[in-house]
Amino acid sequence: MRIDVVTIFPGYLAPLREALLGRAIDAGLISVAVHDLRTWTHDVHQAVDDAPYGGGPGMVMRPQVWGEALDAVVGDVPSGEAPPRLIVPTPAGRPFTQAMAHEYAAESRLVFACGRYEGIDQRVIDDAATWMPVDEVSIGDYVLVGGEVAVLAIVEAVARLLPGVLGNPASAEQDSFSDGLLEGPAYTRPETWRGRAVPDVLRSGNHGAIARWRRDRALERTAARRPDLLAALPPTALDRADRAL
Ligand SMILES: Nc1c(O)cccc1[N+](=O)[O-]
């Protein structure tokens, strides 16, 4: 997978070259190119923003700069080849989910546009949507200063699903949300720590009982913390034992 990120703070994306993602880049499983948006400015101040039409606080990112940047970064898409998907992190976006991470992992190329200030002039999104799929995506209902942090989160969630990136592919299959539920509590040695013992069932060796216990804890945690996820499960997702909980 090829990943391009356009930002006014390229250094913010340095963590993409660390740890698991760094190893995936070194192994050639993904390629990451980070582009400084100011490359496509033509004034001495390298201005990327301007006052919003209609007034109001803050500044809006200029369409000319973004238009030239995306034209250059996406480049001419060879005929017959699918264009990349453009992902624009924004608080006004569709909530990013594990299901979307799987969708994005099937793409051969992703381009991320990192907005700052009050966002990117809407015409940039509208223009881009005439020649490539565009997703405006939110990683949460809180206010960040820009899209870079969201790109780090989305790229990590997507890259770990790519074949060869995770040491143990089973990890991705047993992800939180993979069965629509939150993961339950996890334990490791020692058996007792500060007077708190590991639940006996986890040391019983009874794999059926362990699976049941883990499922029950996941259902309890999901019901308590994310009832919306429980409500979204298809009726067939809960078996008789689940309903007895
Ligand atoms: N929440 C937020 C923001 O405030 C700014 C850029 C991107 C996001 N987001 O992806 O959630």
Side-chain angles (χ1 to χ4, degrees):
M1 175 182 284
R2 174 180 168 181
I3 295 172
D4 288 274
V5 186
V6 182
T7 170
I8 59 171
F9 292 113
Y12 233 104
L13 282 302
L16 288 180
R17 302 192 188 283
E18 296 294 323
L20 179 104
L21 290 177
R23 290 195 295 274
I25 293 170
D26 294 344
L29 297 172
I30 54 176
S31 70
V32 175
V34 179
H35 311 271
D36 186 340
L37 178 67
R38 295 190 196 278
T39 303
W40 291 279
T41 59
H42 305 292
D43 63 302
V44 66
H45 300 297
Q46 295 193 305
V48 295
D49 61 323
D50 202 339
Y53 272 113
M59 303 290 271
V60 175
M61 300 191 95
R62 300 170 61 216
Q64 307 95 315
V65 184
W66 270 108
E68 285 189 35
L70 292 178
D71 289 350
V73 169
V74 176
D76 295 326
V77 179
S79 63
E81 191 176 298
R85 179 174 299 274
L86 176 64
I87 299 172
V88 185
T90 166
R94 183 161 60 110
F96 179 65
T97 64
Q98 189 67 11
M100 288 166 71
H102 280 282
E103 285 174 28
Y104 293 165
E107 300 274 1
S108 58
R109 192 177 172 202
L110 298 175
V111 178
F112 290 89
C114 297
R116 287 253 148 183
Y117 313 112
E118 295 306 308
I120 301 171
D121 186 300
Q122 184 60 41
R123 291 169 293 181
V124 174
I125 311 297
D126 299 342
D127 174 71
T130 65
W131 56 294
M132 61 183 139
V134 179
D135 284 0
E136 295 182 80
V137 174
S138 167
I139 62 165
D141 294 338
Y142 38 75
V143 180
L144 301 170
V145 183
E148 288 81 4
V149 167
V151 170
L152 292 175
I154 295 168
V155 168
E156 179 167 310
V158 172
R160 64 184 294 280
L161 298 175
L162 300 176
V165 173
L166 283 181
N168 176 6
S171 301
E173 290 153 17
Q174 294 158 18
D175 274 342
S176 263
F177 308 106
S178 61
D179 58 1
L181 300 176
L182 302 182
E183 281 187 327
Y187 302 85
T188 187
R189 287 176 293 198
E191 274 185 37
T192 300
W193 178 74
R194 292 188 179 179
R196 298 174 187 276
V198 171
D200 291 338
V201 65
L202 296 181
R203 296 186 297 109
S204 67
N206 179 335
H207 298 296
I210 290 169
R212 185 66 259 166
W213 183 91
R214 284 177 167 161
R215 175 78 174 178
D216 290 347
R217 300 299 75 74
L219 287 162
E220 283 171 352
R221 179 173 281 186
T222 307
R225 298 178 183 177
R226 291 294 303 277
D228 57 303
L229 292 179
L230 218 50
L233 285 176
T236 54
L238 297 178
D239 63 27
R240 183 188 304 270
D242 294 338
R243 297 181 190 285
L245 185 63

